[in-house]
Amino acid sequence: AQSVTQLDSQVPVFEEAPVELRCNYSSSVSVYLFWYVQYPNQGLQLLLKYLSGSTLVKGINGFEAEFNKSQTSFHLRKPSVHISDTAEYFCAVSDGGSGNTGKLIFGQGTTLQVKP
Amino acid sequence: NAGVTQTPKFQVLKTGQSMTLQCAQDMNHNSMYWYRQDPGMGLRLIYYSASEGTTDKGEVPNGYNVSRLNKREFSLRLESAAPSQTSVYFCASSWDRGFNYEQYFGPGTRLTVT
């Protein structure tokens, strides 16, 4: 079965500093990878996704992620964070093999705390 | 478009009581999902419906039932609530399980079982 591990439960960072949120997944024949963001008291919204093609994926709000098949990782990065980026971030994987149902397996979440 | 809507936003139940969480989407999506979110555990899939008329179990289905009432609506029922079901419940929908994996989430229902 697929699994996702987010290596940091909390990441504190100062405003305008770069940030990386780490995500590793269990290996599979083919996977689709996602990052979702959850602002306080809201539902999740999609930041970016990797389905195929270029391993560097750009998303909304200046975020990007790199798919690394050999390391089974999909780390999220932003070169300069803002206070408004304070939120919880979830990495998720969907099994792209035969019989795929589109079910998502989520990581435990990483809380990004941006300090002034 | 309202997107995905959920009712109620908050609910407090006593152990043993029953209730139904409602979810509706106006995006003409085929697939719908119910997740629960617990601290330190991310979101876990309870049930999903790949298309109207079908439902399947996810990771944590015990203690829950679902109904895909029509293409728009997907409800989650707790027949006899237990404190372990205290959680935030999210409904999501996607265009098609096979071709578009983006899921759109509702704002959630915070459920407390005492």
Side-chain angles (χ1 to χ4, degrees), chain B residues 11-31:
Chain B
Q11 184 71 49
V12 179
L13 291 178
K14 294 187 189 314
T15 297
Q17 288 184 317
S18 63
M19 80 160 295
T20 299
L21 281 64
Q22 306 286 355
C23 173
Q25 51 90 9
D26 62 1
M27 296 175 281
N28 202 32
H29 284 172
N30 291 306
S31 301

mmCIF file with all atom_site columns, all heavy atoms in Angstrom, chain B residues 11-31:
data_model
loop_
_atom_site.group_PDB
_atom_site.id
_atom_site.type_symbol
_atom_site.label_atom_id
_atom_site.label_alt_id
_atom_site.label_comp_id
_atom_site.label_asym_id
_atom_site.label_entity_id
_atom_site.label_seq_id
_atom_site.pdbx_PDB_ins_code
_atom_site.Cartn_x
_atom_site.Cartn_y
_atom_site.Cartn_z
_atom_site.occupancy
_atom_site.B_iso_or_equiv
_atom_site.pdbx_formal_charge
_atom_site.auth_seq_id
_atom_site.auth_comp_id
_atom_site.auth_asym_id
_atom_site.auth_atom_id
_atom_site.pdbx_PDB_model_num
ATOM 1   N N   . GLN B 1 11 ? -20.802 20.380 15.290  1.00 0.00 ? 11 GLN B N   1
ATOM 2   C CA  . GLN B 1 11 ? -21.800 19.511 15.903  1.00 0.00 ? 11 GLN B CA  1
ATOM 3   C C   . GLN B 1 11 ? -21.213 18.875 17.148  1.00 0.00 ? 11 GLN B C   1
ATOM 4   O O   . GLN B 1 11 ? -20.051 18.453 17.141  1.00 0.00 ? 11 GLN B O   1
ATOM 5   C CB  . GLN B 1 11 ? -22.239 18.415 14.929  1.00 0.00 ? 11 GLN B CB  1
ATOM 6   C CG  . GLN B 1 11 ? -23.347 17.512 15.435  1.00 0.00 ? 11 GLN B CG  1
ATOM 7   C CD  . GLN B 1 11 ? -24.684 18.218 15.503  1.00 0.00 ? 11 GLN B CD  1
ATOM 8   O OE1 . GLN B 1 11 ? -25.104 18.869 14.564  1.00 0.00 ? 11 GLN B OE1 1
ATOM 9   N NE2 . GLN B 1 11 ? -25.347 18.099 16.642  1.00 0.00 ? 11 GLN B NE2 1
ATOM 10  N N   . VAL B 1 12 ? -22.036 18.818 18.205  1.00 0.00 ? 12 VAL B N   1
ATOM 11  C CA  . VAL B 1 12 ? -21.651 18.104 19.419  1.00 0.00 ? 12 VAL B CA  1
ATOM 12  C C   . VAL B 1 12 ? -22.679 16.992 19.632  1.00 0.00 ? 12 VAL B C   1
ATOM 13  O O   . VAL B 1 12 ? -23.888 17.247 19.613  1.00 0.00 ? 12 VAL B O   1
ATOM 14  C CB  . VAL B 1 12 ? -21.609 19.024 20.650  1.00 0.00 ? 12 VAL B CB  1
ATOM 15  C CG1 . VAL B 1 12 ? -21.230 18.215 21.894  1.00 0.00 ? 12 VAL B CG1 1
ATOM 16  C CG2 . VAL B 1 12 ? -20.612 20.158 20.448  1.00 0.00 ? 12 VAL B CG2 1
ATOM 17  N N   . LEU B 1 13 ? -22.193 15.789 19.796  1.00 0.00 ? 13 LEU B N   1
ATOM 18  C CA  . LEU B 1 13 ? -23.062 14.632 20.011  1.00 0.00 ? 13 LEU B CA  1
ATOM 19  C C   . LEU B 1 13 ? -22.698 13.958 21.328  1.00 0.00 ? 13 LEU B C   1
ATOM 20  O O   . LEU B 1 13 ? -21.546 14.037 21.776  1.00 0.00 ? 13 LEU B O   1
ATOM 21  C CB  . LEU B 1 13 ? -22.885 13.595 18.897  1.00 0.00 ? 13 LEU B CB  1
ATOM 22  C CG  . LEU B 1 13 ? -23.375 13.908 17.497  1.00 0.00 ? 13 LEU B CG  1
ATOM 23  C CD1 . LEU B 1 13 ? -23.039 12.737 16.580  1.00 0.00 ? 13 LEU B CD1 1
ATOM 24  C CD2 . LEU B 1 13 ? -24.859 14.179 17.499  1.00 0.00 ? 13 LEU B CD2 1
ATOM 25  N N   . LYS B 1 14 ? -23.671 13.262 21.889  1.00 0.00 ? 14 LYS B N   1
ATOM 26  C CA  . LYS B 1 14 ? -23.378 12.381 23.013  1.00 0.00 ? 14 LYS B CA  1
ATOM 27  C C   . LYS B 1 14 ? -23.114 10.976 22.461  1.00 0.00 ? 14 LYS B C   1
ATOM 28  O O   . LYS B 1 14 ? -23.635 10.594 21.406  1.00 0.00 ? 14 LYS B O   1
ATOM 29  C CB  . LYS B 1 14 ? -24.541 12.356 23.986  1.00 0.00 ? 14 LYS B CB  1
ATOM 30  C CG  . LYS B 1 14 ? -24.801 13.667 24.695  1.00 0.00 ? 14 LYS B CG  1
ATOM 31  C CD  . LYS B 1 14 ? -25.854 13.489 25.767  1.00 0.00 ? 14 LYS B CD  1
ATOM 32  C CE  . LYS B 1 14 ? -26.335 14.765 26.379  1.00 0.00 ? 14 LYS B CE  1
ATOM 33  N NZ  . LYS B 1 14 ? -25.290 15.704 26.750  1.00 0.00 ? 14 LYS B NZ  1
ATOM 34  N N   . THR B 1 15 ? -22.320 10.223 23.199  1.00 0.00 ? 15 THR B N   1
ATOM 35  C CA  . THR B 1 15 ? -22.034 8.844  22.808  1.00 0.00 ? 15 THR B CA  1
ATOM 36  C C   . THR B 1 15 ? -23.340 8.087  22.568  1.00 0.00 ? 15 THR B C   1
ATOM 37  O O   . THR B 1 15 ? -24.262 8.149  23.385  1.00 0.00 ? 15 THR B O   1
ATOM 38  C CB  . THR B 1 15 ? -21.218 8.142  23.902  1.00 0.00 ? 15 THR B CB  1
ATOM 39  O OG1 . THR B 1 15 ? -19.962 8.826  24.032  1.00 0.00 ? 15 THR B OG1 1
ATOM 40  C CG2 . THR B 1 15 ? -20.948 6.694  23.538  1.00 0.00 ? 15 THR B CG2 1
ATOM 41  N N   . GLY B 1 16 ? -23.389 7.410  21.422  1.00 0.00 ? 16 GLY B N   1
ATOM 42  C CA  . GLY B 1 16 ? -24.561 6.617  21.088  1.00 0.00 ? 16 GLY B CA  1
ATOM 43  C C   . GLY B 1 16 ? -25.564 7.325  20.197  1.00 0.00 ? 16 GLY B C   1
ATOM 44  O O   . GLY B 1 16 ? -26.418 6.661  19.576  1.00 0.00 ? 16 GLY B O   1
ATOM 45  N N   . GLN B 1 17 ? -25.471 8.630  20.102  1.00 0.00 ? 17 GLN B N   1
ATOM 46  C CA  . GLN B 1 17 ? -26.381 9.357  19.220  1.00 0.00 ? 17 GLN B CA  1
ATOM 47  C C   . GLN B 1 17 ? -25.983 9.143  17.760  1.00 0.00 ? 17 GLN B C   1
ATOM 48  O O   . GLN B 1 17 ? -24.845 8.775  17.456  1.00 0.00 ? 17 GLN B O   1
ATOM 49  C CB  . GLN B 1 17 ? -26.381 10.855 19.550  1.00 0.00 ? 17 GLN B CB  1
ATOM 50  C CG  . GLN B 1 17 ? -27.073 11.194 20.848  1.00 0.00 ? 17 GLN B CG  1
ATOM 51  C CD  . GLN B 1 17 ? -27.129 12.694 21.077  1.00 0.00 ? 17 GLN B CD  1
ATOM 52  O OE1 . GLN B 1 17 ? -26.171 13.430 20.849  1.00 0.00 ? 17 GLN B OE1 1
ATOM 53  N NE2 . GLN B 1 17 ? -28.290 13.164 21.540  1.00 0.00 ? 17 GLN B NE2 1
ATOM 54  N N   . SER B 1 18 ? -26.922 9.414  16.876  1.00 0.00 ? 18 SER B N   1
ATOM 55  C CA  . SER B 1 18 ? -26.644 9.278  15.447  1.00 0.00 ? 18 SER B CA  1
ATOM 56  C C   . SER B 1 18 ? -26.783 10.639 14.773  1.00 0.00 ? 18 SER B C   1
ATOM 57  O O   . SER B 1 18 ? -27.443 11.540 15.291  1.00 0.00 ? 18 SER B O   1
ATOM 58  C CB  . SER B 1 18 ? -27.599 8.278  14.814  1.00 0.00 ? 18 SER B CB  1
ATOM 59  O OG  . SER B 1 18 ? -28.934 8.742  14.920  1.00 0.00 ? 18 SER B OG  1
ATOM 60  N N   . MET B 1 19 ? -26.133 10.771 13.631  1.00 0.00 ? 19 MET B N   1
ATOM 61  C CA  . MET B 1 19 ? -26.286 11.981 12.844  1.00 0.00 ? 19 MET B CA  1
ATOM 62  C C   . MET B 1 19 ? -25.782 11.746 11.425  1.00 0.00 ? 19 MET B C   1
ATOM 63  O O   . MET B 1 19 ? -25.034 10.784 11.176  1.00 0.00 ? 19 MET B O   1
ATOM 64  C CB  . MET B 1 19 ? -25.546 13.156 13.460  1.00 0.00 ? 19 MET B CB  1
ATOM 65  C CG  . MET B 1 19 ? -24.062 13.191 13.202  1.00 0.00 ? 19 MET B CG  1
ATOM 66  S SD  . MET B 1 19 ? -23.358 14.840 13.454  1.00 0.00 ? 19 MET B SD  1
ATOM 67  C CE  . MET B 1 19 ? -24.139 15.786 12.168  1.00 0.00 ? 19 MET B CE  1
ATOM 68  N N   . THR B 1 20 ? -26.202 12.628 10.540  1.00 0.00 ? 20 THR B N   1
ATOM 69  C CA  . THR B 1 20 ? -25.782 12.559 9.137   1.00 0.00 ? 20 THR B CA  1
ATOM 70  C C   . THR B 1 20 ? -25.109 13.867 8.762   1.00 0.00 ? 20 THR B C   1
ATOM 71  O O   . THR B 1 20 ? -25.655 14.943 8.994   1.00 0.00 ? 20 THR B O   1
ATOM 72  C CB  . THR B 1 20 ? -26.982 12.316 8.223   1.00 0.00 ? 20 THR B CB  1
ATOM 73  O OG1 . THR B 1 20 ? -27.596 11.066 8.569   1.00 0.00 ? 20 THR B OG1 1
ATOM 74  C CG2 . THR B 1 20 ? -26.540 12.260 6.766   1.00 0.00 ? 20 THR B CG2 1
ATOM 75  N N   . LEU B 1 21 ? -23.925 13.750 8.180   1.00 0.00 ? 21 LEU B N   1
ATOM 76  C CA  . LEU B 1 21 ? -23.216 14.900 7.645   1.00 0.00 ? 21 LEU B CA  1
ATOM 77  C C   . LEU B 1 21 ? -23.549 14.997 6.152   1.00 0.00 ? 21 LEU B C   1
ATOM 78  O O   . LEU B 1 21 ? -23.473 14.001 5.423   1.00 0.00 ? 21 LEU B O   1
ATOM 79  C CB  . LEU B 1 21 ? -21.705 14.742 7.813   1.00 0.00 ? 21 LEU B CB  1
ATOM 80  C CG  . LEU B 1 21 ? -21.098 15.038 9.180   1.00 0.00 ? 21 LEU B CG  1
ATOM 81  C CD1 . LEU B 1 21 ? -21.597 14.067 10.240  1.00 0.00 ? 21 LEU B CD1 1
ATOM 82  C CD2 . LEU B 1 21 ? -19.580 14.983 9.102   1.00 0.00 ? 21 LEU B CD2 1
ATOM 83  N N   . GLN B 1 22 ? -23.907 16.212 5.756   1.00 0.00 ? 22 GLN B N   1
ATOM 84  C CA  . GLN B 1 22 ? -24.325 16.404 4.371   1.00 0.00 ? 22 GLN B CA  1
ATOM 85  C C   . GLN B 1 22 ? -23.222 17.054 3.559   1.00 0.00 ? 22 GLN B C   1
ATOM 86  O O   . GLN B 1 22 ? -22.476 17.897 4.047   1.00 0.00 ? 22 GLN B O   1
ATOM 87  C CB  . GLN B 1 22 ? -25.575 17.300 4.317   1.00 0.00 ? 22 GLN B CB  1
ATOM 88  C CG  . GLN B 1 22 ? -26.736 16.834 5.175   1.00 0.00 ? 22 GLN B CG  1
ATOM 89  C CD  . GLN B 1 22 ? -27.449 15.629 4.597   1.00 0.00 ? 22 GLN B CD  1
ATOM 90  O OE1 . GLN B 1 22 ? -27.137 15.170 3.495   1.00 0.00 ? 22 GLN B OE1 1
ATOM 91  N NE2 . GLN B 1 22 ? -28.413 15.087 5.338   1.00 0.00 ? 22 GLN B NE2 1
ATOM 92  N N   . CYS B 1 23 ? -23.142 16.667 2.301   1.00 0.00 ? 23 CYS B N   1
ATOM 93  C CA  . CYS B 1 23 ? -22.168 17.242 1.375   1.00 0.00 ? 23 CYS B CA  1
ATOM 94  C C   . CYS B 1 23 ? -22.817 17.383 0.008   1.00 0.00 ? 23 CYS B C   1
ATOM 95  O O   . CYS B 1 23 ? -23.502 16.455 -0.445  1.00 0.00 ? 23 CYS B O   1
ATOM 96  C CB  . CYS B 1 23 ? -20.932 16.361 1.278   1.00 0.00 ? 23 CYS B CB  1
ATOM 97  S SG  . CYS B 1 23 ? -19.753 16.873 0.006   1.00 0.00 ? 23 CYS B SG  1
ATOM 98  N N   . ALA B 1 24 ? -22.589 18.521 -0.626  1.00 0.00 ? 24 ALA B N   1
ATOM 99  C CA  . ALA B 1 24 ? -23.106 18.724 -1.979  1.00 0.00 ? 24 ALA B CA  1
ATOM 100 C C   . ALA B 1 24 ? -22.074 19.491 -2.802  1.00 0.00 ? 24 ALA B C   1
ATOM 101 O O   . ALA B 1 24 ? -21.354 20.325 -2.274  1.00 0.00 ? 24 ALA B O   1
ATOM 102 C CB  . ALA B 1 24 ? -24.422 19.490 -1.944  1.00 0.00 ? 24 ALA B CB  1
ATOM 103 N N   . GLN B 1 25 ? -22.032 19.173 -4.103  1.00 0.00 ? 25 GLN B N   1
ATOM 104 C CA  . GLN B 1 25 ? -21.126 19.885 -5.013  1.00 0.00 ? 25 GLN B CA  1
ATOM 105 C C   . GLN B 1 25 ? -21.914 20.293 -6.259  1.00 0.00 ? 25 GLN B C   1
ATOM 106 O O   . GLN B 1 25 ? -22.803 19.574 -6.719  1.00 0.00 ? 25 GLN B O   1
ATOM 107 C CB  . GLN B 1 25 ? -19.903 19.032 -5.369  1.00 0.00 ? 25 GLN B CB  1
ATOM 108 C CG  . GLN B 1 25 ? -20.190 17.635 -5.864  1.00 0.00 ? 25 GLN B CG  1
ATOM 109 C CD  . GLN B 1 25 ? -20.357 17.500 -7.361  1.00 0.00 ? 25 GLN B CD  1
ATOM 110 O OE1 . GLN B 1 25 ? -20.089 18.448 -8.113  1.00 0.00 ? 25 GLN B OE1 1
ATOM 111 N NE2 . GLN B 1 25 ? -20.785 16.327 -7.806  1.00 0.00 ? 25 GLN B NE2 1
ATOM 112 N N   . ASP B 1 26 ? -21.535 21.464 -6.763  1.00 0.00 ? 26 ASP B N   1
ATOM 113 C CA  . ASP B 1 26 ? -22.239 21.993 -7.937  1.00 0.00 ? 26 ASP B CA  1
ATOM 114 C C   . ASP B 1 26 ? -21.328 22.070 -9.152  1.00 0.00 ? 26 ASP B C   1
ATOM 115 O O   . ASP B 1 26 ? -21.531 22.908 -10.039 1.00 0.00 ? 26 ASP B O   1
ATOM 116 C CB  . ASP B 1 26 ? -22.861 23.349 -7.613  1.00 0.00 ? 26 ASP B CB  1
ATOM 117 C CG  . ASP B 1 26 ? -21.821 24.399 -7.252  1.00 0.00 ? 26 ASP B CG  1
ATOM 118 O OD1 . ASP B 1 26 ? -20.606 24.085 -7.263  1.00 0.00 ? 26 ASP B OD1 1
ATOM 119 O OD2 . ASP B 1 26 ? -22.220 25.536 -6.953  1.00 0.00 ? 26 ASP B OD2 1
ATOM 120 N N   . MET B 1 27 ? -20.311 21.238 -9.209  1.00 0.00 ? 27 MET B N   1
ATOM 121 C CA  . MET B 1 27 ? -19.336 21.271 -10.303 1.00 0.00 ? 27 MET B CA  1
ATOM 122 C C   . MET B 1 27 ? -19.545 20.125 -11.291 1.00 0.00 ? 27 MET B C   1
ATOM 123 O O   . MET B 1 27 ? -18.696 19.888 -12.160 1.00 0.00 ? 27 MET B O   1
ATOM 124 C CB  . MET B 1 27 ? -17.921 21.213 -9.709  1.00 0.00 ? 27 MET B CB  1
ATOM 125 C CG  . MET B 1 27 ? -17.618 22.447 -8.865  1.00 0.00 ? 27 MET B CG  1
ATOM 126 S SD  . MET B 1 27 ? -16.013 22.365 -8.034  1.00 0.00 ? 27 MET B SD  1
ATOM 127 C CE  . MET B 1 27 ? -16.403 21.302 -6.663  1.00 0.00 ? 27 MET B CE  1
ATOM 128 N N   . ASN B 1 28 ? -20.631 19.386 -11.133 1.00 0.00 ? 28 ASN B N   1
ATOM 129 C CA  . ASN B 1 28 ? -20.937 18.268 -12.012 1.00 0.00 ? 28 ASN B CA  1
ATOM 130 C C   . ASN B 1 28 ? -19.861 17.177 -11.958 1.00 0.00 ? 28 ASN B C   1
ATOM 131 O O   . ASN B 1 28 ? -19.598 16.492 -12.954 1.00 0.00 ? 28 ASN B O   1
ATOM 132 C CB  . ASN B 1 28 ? -21.133 18.725 -13.467 1.00 0.00 ? 28 ASN B CB  1
ATOM 133 C CG  . ASN B 1 28 ? -21.945 17.720 -14.268 1.00 0.00 ? 28 ASN B CG  1
ATOM 134 O OD1 . ASN B 1 28 ? -22.829 17.042 -13.743 1.00 0.00 ? 28 ASN B OD1 1
ATOM 135 N ND2 . ASN B 1 28 ? -21.637 17.602 -15.555 1.00 0.00 ? 28 ASN B ND2 1
ATOM 136 N N   . HIS B 1 29 ? -19.240 17.037 -10.776 1.00 0.00 ? 29 HIS B N   1
ATOM 137 C CA  . HIS B 1 29 ? -18.199 16.029 -10.606 1.00 0.00 ? 29 HIS B CA  1
ATOM 138 C C   . HIS B 1 29 ? -18.794 14.641 -10.454 1.00 0.00 ? 29 HIS B C   1
ATOM 139 O O   . HIS B 1 29 ? -19.874 14.463 -9.889  1.00 0.00 ? 29 HIS B O   1
ATOM 140 C CB  . HIS B 1 29 ? -17.344 16.361 -9.380  1.00 0.00 ? 29 HIS B CB  1
ATOM 141 C CG  . HIS B 1 29 ? -16.395 17.479 -9.622  1.00 0.00 ? 29 HIS B CG  1
ATOM 142 N ND1 . HIS B 1 29 ? -15.649 18.050 -8.609  1.00 0.00 ? 29 HIS B ND1 1
ATOM 143 C CD2 . HIS B 1 29 ? -16.041 18.137 -10.752 1.00 0.00 ? 29 HIS B CD2 1
ATOM 144 C CE1 . HIS B 1 29 ? -14.886 18.997 -9.108  1.00 0.00 ? 29 HIS B CE1 1
ATOM 145 N NE2 . HIS B 1 29 ? -15.111 19.072 -10.408 1.00 0.00 ? 29 HIS B NE2 1
ATOM 146 N N   . ASN B 1 30 ? -18.047 13.659 -10.942 1.00 0.00 ? 30 ASN B N   1
ATOM 147 C CA  . ASN B 1 30 ? -18.502 12.277 -10.834 1.00 0.00 ? 30 ASN B CA  1
ATOM 148 C C   . ASN B 1 30 ? -18.122 11.638 -9.505  1.00 0.00 ? 30 ASN B C   1
ATOM 149 O O   . ASN B 1 30 ? -18.869 10.820 -8.982  1.00 0.00 ? 30 ASN B O   1
ATOM 150 C CB  . ASN B 1 30 ? -17.899 11.440 -11.969 1.00 0.00 ? 30 ASN B CB  1
ATOM 151 C CG  . ASN B 1 30 ? -18.469 11.819 -13.318 1.00 0.00 ? 30 ASN B CG  1
ATOM 152 O OD1 . ASN B 1 30 ? -19.677 11.815 -13.498 1.00 0.00 ? 30 ASN B OD1 1
ATOM 153 N ND2 . ASN B 1 30 ? -17.592 12.164 -14.248 1.00 0.00 ? 30 ASN B ND2 1
ATOM 154 N N   . SER B 1 31 ? -16.940 11.965 -9.005  1.00 0.00 ? 31 SER B N   1
ATOM 155 C CA  . SER B 1 31 ? -16.413 11.269 -7.825  1.00 0.00 ? 31 SER B CA  1
ATOM 156 C C   . SER B 1 31 ? -16.494 12.149 -6.589  1.00 0.00 ? 31 SER B C   1
ATOM 157 O O   . SER B 1 31 ? -16.259 13.358 -6.657  1.00 0.00 ? 31 SER B O   1
ATOM 158 C CB  . SER B 1 31 ? -14.948 10.877 -8.063  1.00 0.00 ? 31 SER B CB  1
ATOM 159 O OG  . SER B 1 31 ? -14.840 10.046 -9.188  1.00 0.00 ? 31 SER B OG  1
#
